[in-house]
Amino acid sequence: MAGSEAKKVLRKDGEHTVKVALSPTLTIGDGSFVVIAGPCALENTDQVEKASSAVKNAGAHVLRGGAFKPRTSPYSFQGLGEVGLKLLAEQGKKLRVPVISEVMEVNQLALMLDYVDVLQVGARNMHNFSLLREVAKAGRPVVLKRGFGATLEEWLLAAEYLLDGGTDQVILCERGIRSFDNTLRNTLDLAGMAWVKERSKLPVIVDPSHSTGVRSLVIPMALAAAAAGADGIMVEVHPTPDQALCDGPQALTPAMFEQLMQALPPLLSATGRSLAHHTLSAVSGGAR
Amino acid sequence: MAGSEAKKVLRKDGEHTVKVALSPTLTIGDGSFVVIAGPCALENTDQVEKASSAVKNAGAHVLRGGAFKPRTSPYSFQGLGEVGLKLLAEQGKKLRVPVISEVMEVNQLALMLDYVDVLQVGARNMHNFSLLREVAKAGRPVVLKRGFGATLEEWLLAAEYLLDGGTDQVILCERGIRSFDNTLRNTLDLAGMAWVKERSKLPVIVDPSHSTGVRSLVIPMALAAAAAGADGIMVEVHPTPDQALCDGPQALTPAMFEQLMQALPPLLSATGRSLAHHTLSAVSGGAR
Amino acid sequence: MAGSEAKKVLRKDGEHTVKVALSPTLTIGDGSFVVIAGPCALENTDQVEKASSAVKNAGAHVLRGGAFKPRTSPYSFQGLGEVGLKLLAEQGKKLRVPVISEVMEVNQLALMLDYVDVLQVGARNMHNFSLLREVAKAGRPVVLKRGFGATLEEWLLAAEYLLDGGTDQVILCERGIRSFDNTLRNTLDLAGMAWVKERSKLPVIVDPSHSTGVRSLVIPMALAAAAAGADGIMVEVHPTPDQALCDGPQALTPAMFEQLMQALPPLLSATGRSLAHHTLSAVSGGAR
Amino acid sequence: MAGSEAKKVLRKDGEHTVKVALSPTLTIGDGSFVVIAGPCALENTDQVEKASSAVKNAGAHVLRGGAFKPRTSPYSFQGLGEVGLKLLAEQGKKLRVPVISEVMEVNQLALMLDYVDVLQVGARNMHNFSLLREVAKAGRPVVLKRGFGATLEEWLLAAEYLLDGGTDQVILCERGIRSFDNTLRNTLDLAGMAWVKERSKLPVIVDPSHSTGVRSLVIPMALAAAAAGADGIMVEVHPTPDQALCDGPQALTPAMFEQLMQALPPLLSATGRSLAHHTLSAVSGGAR
C-alpha cells in the first residue's frame, strides 16, 4: 500500500493510536475488547426490552438496534424509525450503556443525534460520500462498516473522508465481503481486518453475524476475531430469533450470547488482553 | 428468479415494454439503439465545447458529463458542480440534444433538475434507497447504474424502488462488476445485461468505458453490446484523453468515437435494428 | 501486463498470428469465424448421430462431444469413454468434419489421439501442468479453456506451457469465470477475451453455453462474441435437451442452432468478416 | 446444503469423526491441534536441515516441503524432484517426525510413496479427479487443499472422490479463495472452514501462509484458526526467507515460528484444547 492515498487514517511513527470514547466511561482502541450487541432491527417494546436486558446482563458494553433499515426490496420491513430510536435510548439510559444505531441519510442525522451515542454507517453507504461528510461534522463516534464490494484501500479512503471532515472518532467494522462462494451470506475477511489493524491507527471491530448469516458460526468467528487482534465485535441477539422481522437466522439467542461472553475472557487472556469495562465513575454517574 | 421480490420492473404477459422519453423527440426502449457520449467529468468551457461538438457531429443522441463526481479519495477532483452543469446545459441547447449528469445526493436534486434532461444514479449509489425515492418523485427519466458489487436481482430491486416511487421512466445500465481478475477495471457482465433484458420491461444500456477501463476495448464491447440486444451505450469521449482530470485511459478520442459511430449501423442492421434518431419535429423545435 | 512472464504466446511486432489447422482443409486464426458444436456429453448412438447431422447440416465446422467428463460429484455420469470416442469419430468421418473431445489425464492421451482431430483441455485442468506438457508433445491442435478461477495472465501462462512444450497449435477458449453473482452459471468475460486477443498471437474462441448455463442467452452471447472479434465459438447442441445426461438447460435445440447459424453471417459481414469454410480439396478428400 | 451430493464425507448421527493417523504415534481429528511446518519448496541440503531442525525444535508435529512445485509460469523454479524428497525423508527420520509433500500427477505417486508419510493434493489439483482416484488407492493419509476457485460443496465433493475411492484418511485444508480484493494473496475463508467442520466428519486444517501471502499476518490467522476450532495449521517456515526460491514473503522466520508455537498452547487451553503430542512409544520407537 505504498501508493495509498489515505493519509490521515494511517499509523505514523511515534503517533498514538486513536482511542474512541463510546461514552464518558467506555473507550475502544486501548487494547481491551468491546462487545456491541442487540437485535438487527428494533421491533417493539417487548423485544427491545428483552434483548437489551439479556445482552446487558451477559456483559455487553454497547447496545445496538436498527431503526432505519436499508432493505434490498422496497417491500421489506423498513424499520420503526423514531419510535425505535426512543425505545433504544430508553434502554440505554435504564441499563447505563451507550447505544448505537445506523444513520442512512443526511436528513436523519439531526434526529439520530437526539437518541444515539454512536452512529453507524452501513455497508451500503460506505461509498455515500455526502453522508460521510455530514457525519464527520456531527463529531459523534461512528462505526464505519466496510462495503461488501469494497477493497481494503477503499474502506480506508472512506474513513479518510471522515477524518478529513474533522473527526477522528472512527471505528472500522469488517462485516464480510462477497465472493463467488454463496454458501454463507458473505465471506468474512479476518485477514483483511488484521491487515487494516496493522496499518491504520483506528480501532477495528468485526461483525460475525452479517458476515456469516448463520447462527452456529457466530461464536467461532467472534472468538477468531478476538484471537486475531480485533478491538471488538458487533453481534446480533434476539430474544426469539424465529420470530425476528429481519435476519433471524443469524441472531444469537440470549443463552448463546451468554455462552459467548463466558468464552471470551479466557481467550483474550491467552493473548494478554481482556474485555473492556466501564470505568468506576460510570457506574455511579450513568453511561451518558 | 421464481422467488423475485421485484414485481413492477418485470415484464408481464401482454404488457408493452417501457419506452423512456429522453427528450420530446427521442425515445429509448423502442428497439432502436441510443448512444450517450461525452466526457467523464466536465472540466472547463473549452473541454466541454470540444467534447460536445465532437460527439454530436459523430451522431451521439445524448450528451453526458459529470459535475458531481463520486471519488474514492477525498483528495481527488470532485467536479465543477453547478458551473459544470451550466456548461453542459448550454451545449445541450446549442446542439439540440438532451443532456445527462449524475446526481449524488438528495440535496443536489433541485439544482440538477434545472439543468439536465436525464438523471443518472451511479453505481456507488444503487443501494442509496433514500436517493432513489427522491429521484422517483422528480419524474425525470433516470439511468440507474448497476452497483459493481450488486447481483442482478438487487439491481432489479433498486429499480423497483424507483417504480414503486411512482416513475417508470427508468433505464438500467450495466457498467461492470468486480471479480477476482483485476486485469481490467471491472468485468463487463454482458450476459447479465441480456438476462435482465429478457425479464424486465425496462430498457437496458451498457457502459463499455467504466467496465473495461481500457480505451482499446471500448469499441469491441460497444459492438458486442449492440449484438447482444442492448438498447444503447454510454461512452466516454474526451478531446485530449491524456490531459483528462478523471479516467483518461478509458476515454475515446473524437476520432475513435467517429469510428465507433460508423461501425454501429451495419452491425445493428444485421440484427434488424438501427440507430435511434430524433424525430422531425425535434429538428425544428429544439431538444427541450 | 508489462511484467508478464508469458513470452511465446504474446504477439510480437511484425510477427504473423498463429493459424491453427483444425483439419487439412480448415484453419482458425485467419480472421474467419469457426463454429464448433455438438452435445456436452456423448450419450448413445442415436443421440450422437442426430446431434452430429443437425449441427453439420446447419453449417458447423467442427463436431464436439465429451467422452470423459470431469464431474464435480463422483456419482454423476462420467461419460462413455472409448465407446463415445468411437461414435464421435465415426460421425466425423461420415460427415467430413474434424472432431474435438476433452482429454482429462495423461493416461488417456494415446487413446484420444486415435479418435480426435483436436484435443480439448478443460477449465478444471488449465492448471494441470503435467497434462499440458504431455498434450504439447502430442502436437495435435488443442483448445485450452480458461479456468473459471484463473486470471487472464494465468491463462496465457498455461498456454505458455504448451508453446514451451513445442507446439503452437493452440486455441484459447473463454468459458466464463466465477463472480459473486451466481444468477447465471458463470460470468462470461468477453472483454477479457478481447484483451487477450489484442495481446496474444493465438486464436481465441468463446463458449456461450457453459458461461451462461441458460439456453436463451446462448445466441445473444454468440453474436456478441462475433461482434467483439472472437475467432469462433464452441456451442452445445442436443437433439432433446430435456433428456440430456449433462447440462441440458444450456443446450441449444437443433432449431435454435440453425437460427444462430443464420444470424452469424450478416453480423460477421458487418465487421468485414465471414464464417470459415472448408477448402475445396476437403470436400473431395474428406476431413482427415 | 440440503441437496448435497456428498454423502461419505458428511457426519452422520452417532458416527465417530474420522481420526487420521499421520504416523503410528500421531493422530489428527481427536480434538488436539496439529502443526505442520517447513519450507514452501525444498531447495538444498542446508536449507532443508536448518528449516527442519528449527520447526522440530519449536514443536512442529509434521515436516512439510515441496519437491514438485505447481508453478503458474513454466519458467519458474519447478522443484528439486526426487532429490528434494530424499532430503525431506532423511530429516523426517532423523528428527522422528512424519513428512508431507505434494503429489502433482499420477505418475509421481509411486515415487512419493517411497519417501513421504502424508500426501498433499494442492489447490490447483482439487478438481483433478483422476489424481484423486489414484491417491485414494494408495491408502496413505492425504491433505486435500481447497481450490482457490472452489465452493465449499465442491471441496467436500472432491473429498468424496477420495472416500468413494476407498480411503477415509483425509484431512481438508482451507488455504484461501479468490475474491475481488487482491490486496492480500487470497481471502482466507475461516467461516467456510468452520462450516465444513460442522458438517463433515473429516479433520480440517488451515494454511495461513498461502492464504495471506504476508508474513506478519500468519500468526494472527494461525491463532484465529485455532480459536475457530480448526484441527491444525500448515505453515511455511524458511531459515532465510529473503533468499527463498518460492514464496519468501509469506514464510515465517524460525524466530517467528517459535513465537507462534509459544502463543498456541494458552490460546488452545482457553477453549479446552491442547497441542497434539506424539505418543510415548513414538519417542522411543521413531516416527515411522
Side-chain angles (χ1 to χ4, degrees):
Chain A
M1 198 166 144
S4 174
E5 294 181 85
K7 295 186 184 84
K8 293 178 179 161
V9 304
L10 298 184
R11 196 187 308 272
K12 291 176 201 142
D13 288 337
E15 189 181 3
H16 292 303
T17 55
V18 170
K19 291 175 189 56
V20 178
L22 297 169
S23 80
T25 64
L26 180 68
T27 299
I28 187 168
D30 58 7
S32 66
F33 194 80
V34 170
V35 178
I36 305 171
C40 176
L42 302 160
E43 298 175 5
N44 55 59
T45 309
D46 185 57
Q47 177 244 21
V48 178
E49 284 179 3
K50 282 185 178 153
S52 301
S53 59
V55 301
K56 163 70 179 174
N57 289 341
H61 304 93
V62 183
L63 186 56
R64 63 147 287 152
F68 300 103
K69 302 299 302 173
R71 301 305 295 270
T72 304
S73 164
Y75 312 127
S76 300
F77 174 59
Q78 309 275 322
L80 288 185
E82 187 170 4
V83 171
L85 291 175
K86 273 186 196 164
L87 291 173
L88 183 67
E90 281 168 17
Q91 292 300 311
K93 272 185 197 158
K94 183 178 149 196
L95 302 169
R96 293 189 175 179
V97 285
V99 300
I100 177 173
S101 196
E102 176 173 351
V103 56
M104 277 178 65
E105 50 181 293
V106 172
N107 296 340
Q108 291 165 354
L109 197 49
L111 178 69
M112 300 291 296
L113 295 176
D114 286 345
Y115 294 107
V116 305
D117 303 279
V118 186
L119 293 163
Q120 175 181 322
V121 174
R124 285 172 185 76
N125 274 320
M126 193 203 85
H127 275 129
N128 187 337
F129 305 123
S130 318
L131 181 60
L132 294 177
R133 290 194 189 282
E134 293 303 314
V135 164
K137 286 183 201 159
R140 201 67 60 89
V142 53
V143 168
L144 177 65
K145 286 203 156 185
R146 178 183 180 185
F148 48 67
T151 62
L152 296 171
E153 170 86 8
E154 289 169 341
W155 188 22
L156 290 179
L157 282 168
E160 190 82 4
Y161 268 92
L162 291 168
L163 271 69
D164 192 50
T167 183
D168 70 348
Q169 295 293 290
V170 177
I171 302 146
L172 298 167
C173 179
E174 159 64 23
R175 46 79 73 212
I177 56 172
R178 291 198 160 163
S179 76
F180 65 86
D181 190 347
N182 294 359
T183 311
L184 302 178
R185 185 167 181 175
N186 292 281
T187 300
L188 177 59
D189 186 12
L190 268 191
M193 180 280 294
W195 186 89
V196 165
K197 187 119 189 65
E198 207 174 74
R199 271 152 196 77
S200 171
K201 58 187 171 194
L202 301 175
V204 190
I205 64 173
V206 167
D207 176 344
S209 305
H210 281 91
S211 53
T212 61
V214 177
R215 184 175 305 123
S216 64
L217 300 178
V218 171
I219 294 180
M221 288 308 105
L223 298 181
D231 292 284
I233 47 173
M234 173 139 65
V235 183
E236 294 191 359
V237 181
H238 195 285
T240 50
D242 291 350
Q243 298 160 31
L245 296 182
C246 176
D247 292 343
Q250 75 198 26
L252 291 184
T253 60
M256 290 177 83
F257 181 67
E258 216 179 307
Q259 184 188 340
L260 168 61
M261 292 305 291
Q262 286 165 358
L264 279 169
L267 192 113
L268 289 163
S269 169
T271 54
R273 303 169 67 202
S274 61
L275 283 177
H277 57 277
H278 294 278
T279 57
L280 272 189
S281 61
V283 174
S284 53
R288 296 187 300 175
Chain B
M1 199 165 146
S4 175
E5 295 180 86
K7 294 186 184 84
K8 292 179 179 162
V9 303
L10 297 184
R11 197 188 307 273
K12 292 176 199 139
D13 289 338
E15 189 181 2
H16 294 303
T17 55
V18 169
K19 290 174 190 57
V20 178
L22 297 169
S23 80
T25 64
L26 180 69
T27 300
I28 188 168
D30 58 7
S32 65
F33 194 82
V34 170
V35 177
I36 304 171
C40 177
L42 302 160
E43 298 174 5
N44 56 59
T45 310
D46 185 56
Q47 178 244 21
V48 178
E49 283 181 1
K50 281 186 179 153
S52 302
S53 59
V55 301
K56 164 69 178 175
N57 289 342
H61 304 93
V62 182
L63 188 55
R64 65 148 285 154
F68 300 104
K69 303 299 303 173
R71 302 304 295 271
T72 304
S73 164
Y75 312 127
S76 299
F77 175 58
Q78 308 273 323
L80 288 186
E82 187 171 2
V83 170
L85 291 175
K86 272 186 194 163
L87 290 174
L88 183 68
E90 280 170 16
Q91 291 301 310
K93 271 187 196 158
K94 182 177 150 196
L95 301 171
R96 295 188 174 181
V97 286
V99 300
I100 178 173
S101 197
E102 176 173 352
V103 56
M104 278 178 64
E105 51 180 294
V106 173
N107 296 340
Q108 291 164 354
L109 197 49
L111 178 70
M112 300 292 296
L113 294 176
D114 286 344
Y115 294 108
V116 305
D117 302 277
V118 186
L119 292 163
Q120 176 181 322
V121 175
R124 284 172 185 76
N125 274 319
M126 193 205 85
H127 275 130
N128 187 336
F129 304 124
S130 319
L131 181 61
L132 294 177
R133 288 194 190 282
E134 294 302 313
V135 165
K137 287 184 200 159
R140 203 64 60 88
V142 53
V143 168
L144 177 64
K145 287 202 157 186
R146 177 182 182 186
F148 47 68
T151 63
L152 296 171
E153 172 85 7
E154 290 169 340
W155 188 22
L156 289 178
L157 282 167
E160 192 82 3
Y161 269 92
L162 291 168
L163 270 71
D164 193 49
T167 183
D168 70 348
Q169 296 293 290
V170 177
I171 301 147
L172 299 167
C173 180
E174 158 66 23
R175 47 76 75 211
I177 57 173
R178 291 198 162 164
S179 76
F180 65 84
D181 189 348
N182 293 0
T183 312
L184 302 178
R185 184 165 180 178
N186 292 282
T187 300
L188 177 59
D189 186 10
L190 268 190
M193 179 281 294
W195 186 89
V196 165
K197 187 122 189 63
E198 205 173 74
R199 271 151 196 78
S200 171
K201 58 187 173 195
L202 301 175
V204 190
I205 63 174
V206 168
D207 176 345
S209 304
H210 282 89
S211 54
T212 61
V214 177
R215 185 175 304 125
S216 65
L217 299 178
V218 171
I219 294 181
M221 288 307 105
L223 298 180
D231 291 286
I233 48 174
M234 174 139 64
V235 184
E236 294 191 358
V237 181
H238 195 286
T240 49
D242 291 350
Q243 299 160 28
L245 295 182
C246 176
D247 291 344
Q250 75 198 26
L252 292 184
T253 61
M256 291 178 82
F257 181 67
E258 216 178 308
Q259 184 188 339
L260 167 60
M261 291 306 289
Q262 286 165 357
L264 279 169
L267 193 115
L268 289 163
S269 169
T271 55
R273 301 169 68 203
S274 61
L275 282 177
H277 56 275
H278 293 278
T279 57
L280 273 190
S281 61
V283 173
S284 53
R288 298 186 298 176
Chain C
M1 198 167 145
S4 174
E5 295 181 85
K7 294 186 184 83
K8 292 179 179 160
V9 303
L10 298 184
R11 195 190 307 276
K12 290 175 201 141
D13 288 337
E15 188 182 2
H16 293 303
T17 55
V18 169
K19 291 175 189 57
V20 177
L22 297 168
S23 81
T25 65
L26 180 69
T27 300
I28 188 168
D30 58 7
S32 65
F33 195 81
V34 169
V35 178
I36 304 171
C40 177
L42 302 159
E43 298 174 5
N44 56 59
T45 308
D46 186 56
Q47 178 245 20
V48 177
E49 284 180 1
K50 281 187 178 152
S52 301
S53 60
V55 302
K56 163 70 179 174
N57 288 342
H61 304 95
V62 182
L63 188 55
R64 64 148 286 151
F68 300 104
K69 302 298 302 173
R71 301 306 293 271
T72 303
S73 164
Y75 312 127
S76 300
F77 174 60
Q78 309 274 320
L80 288 185
E82 185 170 7
V83 171
L85 290 175
K86 272 187 194 163
L87 289 173
L88 183 68
E90 280 169 16
Q91 292 300 310
K93 271 186 197 158
K94 184 178 149 196
L95 300 171
R96 293 188 175 179
V97 285
V99 301
I100 177 173
S101 198
E102 176 173 350
V103 57
M104 278 180 63
E105 51 181 292
V106 172
N107 296 342
Q108 291 164 355
L109 197 51
L111 178 69
M112 298 292 296
L113 294 176
D114 285 345
Y115 294 107
V116 306
D117 304 278
V118 186
L119 293 162
Q120 177 181 321
V121 174
R124 284 171 185 75
N125 275 319
M126 193 204 85
H127 275 129
N128 187 335
F129 304 123
S130 317
L131 181 60
L132 294 177
R133 290 193 188 283
E134 292 304 312
V135 165
K137 285 184 201 157
R140 202 66 58 92
V142 54
V143 168
L144 176 65
K145 287 203 157 187
R146 178 182 180 186
F148 48 68
T151 62
L152 296 171
E153 172 85 8
E154 288 169 342
W155 188 21
L156 290 178
L157 282 168
E160 191 82 4
Y161 267 93
L162 291 169
L163 270 70
D164 192 50
T167 184
D168 69 350
Q169 296 293 289
V170 177
I171 301 148
L172 299 167
C173 180
E174 159 64 24
R175 47 77 74 211
I177 57 173
R178 291 196 161 165
S179 75
F180 65 85
D181 190 348
N182 293 1
T183 312
L184 302 179
R185 185 167 181 176
N186 292 282
T187 300
L188 177 59
D189 186 11
L190 269 190
M193 180 281 294
W195 185 88
V196 165
K197 187 118 188 66
E198 208 174 74
R199 271 153 196 74
S200 170
K201 59 189 173 193
L202 301 176
V204 190
I205 65 174
V206 168
D207 176 344
S209 304
H210 281 91
S211 53
T212 62
V214 178
R215 186 176 303 122
S216 65
L217 298 179
V218 171
I219 295 181
M221 287 307 105
L223 299 181
D231 291 285
I233 48 175
M234 173 138 67
V235 183
E236 295 191 0
V237 181
H238 195 286
T240 49
D242 291 350
Q243 298 161 29
L245 295 181
C246 176
D247 291 344
Q250 73 198 27
L252 292 183
T253 61
M256 289 178 83
F257 181 68
E258 216 178 308
Q259 184 188 337
L260 168 61
M261 292 304 290
Q262 286 164 358
L264 278 169
L267 193 113
L268 289 163
S269 169
T271 54
R273 304 169 65 202
S274 61
L275 283 176
H277 56 275
H278 293 278
T279 57
L280 273 189
S281 61
V283 175
S284 52
R288 298 189 298 177
Chain D
M1 200 166 144
S4 175
E5 295 180 86
K7 294 186 184 82
K8 293 177 179 163
V9 303
L10 297 185
R11 197 186 308 272
K12 292 175 199 142
D13 290 338
E15 187 181 2
H16 294 303
T17 55
V18 170
K19 290 175 190 56
V20 178
L22 296 169
S23 80
T25 65
L26 179 69
T27 300
I28 187 168
D30 57 7
S32 66
F33 195 81
V34 170
V35 178
I36 305 171
C40 177
L42 302 160
E43 299 175 4
N44 55 60
T45 308
D46 184 58
Q47 177 245 19
V48 178
E49 284 181 2
K50 282 185 179 155
S52 302
S53 59
V55 301
K56 164 69 178 174
N57 289 342
H61 305 94
V62 183
L63 186 56
R64 63 149 286 154
F68 299 103
K69 302 300 302 173
R71 301 306 294 270
T72 304
S73 164
Y75 312 126
S76 300
F77 174 59
Q78 309 275 321
L80 287 186
E82 186 170 4
V83 170
L85 291 174
K86 271 186 196 163
L87 290 174
L88 182 68
E90 281 169 15
Q91 292 301 311
K93 270 188 197 158
K94 181 177 151 197
L95 302 171
R96 293 186 174 183
V97 286
V99 300
I100 177 173
S101 197
E102 175 173 351
V103 57
M104 279 179 62
E105 52 180 292
V106 173
N107 296 340
Q108 291 163 354
L109 197 49
L111 177 70
M112 299 291 297
L113 295 175
D114 286 344
Y115 294 107
V116 304
D117 303 277
V118 186
L119 292 163
Q120 176 181 323
V121 174
R124 286 172 184 74
N125 274 320
M126 193 204 85
H127 274 130
N128 187 337
F129 305 123
S130 318
L131 180 61
L132 294 177
R133 289 194 189 282
E134 293 303 312
V135 165
K137 285 184 202 159
R140 201 67 58 90
V142 53
V143 168
L144 177 64
K145 287 204 156 185
R146 178 181 182 187
F148 48 68
T151 63
L152 296 170
E153 171 86 8
E154 289 169 342
W155 188 22
L156 289 178
L157 282 168
E160 191 82 5
Y161 268 92
L162 290 168
L163 270 70
D164 193 51
T167 183
D168 70 349
Q169 296 294 289
V170 177
I171 301 147
L172 298 168
C173 179
E174 158 66 22
R175 46 78 75 213
I177 57 173
R178 290 197 163 166
S179 76
F180 66 85
D181 191 347
N182 294 0
T183 311
L184 301 178
R185 185 167 180 174
N186 292 281
T187 300
L188 178 60
D189 186 11
L190 268 190
M193 179 283 292
W195 186 89
V196 164
K197 187 116 189 68
E198 205 174 75
R199 271 151 196 77
S200 171
K201 59 187 172 194
L202 301 176
V204 190
I205 63 173
V206 168
D207 176 345
S209 304
H210 281 91
S211 53
T212 60
V214 177
R215 185 175 304 124
S216 65
L217 299 179
V218 171
I219 294 179
M221 289 307 105
L223 298 180
D231 291 286
I233 48 173
M234 173 139 65
V235 184
E236 295 190 359
V237 180
H238 195 286
T240 48
D242 292 349
Q243 297 161 30
L245 296 181
C246 177
D247 292 343
Q250 75 198 28
L252 292 183
T253 60
M256 291 178 81
F257 181 67
E258 215 178 310
Q259 183 188 341
L260 167 61
M261 292 305 289
Q262 286 165 357
L264 278 169
L267 193 114
L268 289 163
S269 170
T271 55
R273 303 168 68 203
S274 61
L275 282 177
H277 57 274
H278 293 278
T279 58
L280 272 189
S281 62
V283 175
S284 53
R288 298 186 297 175

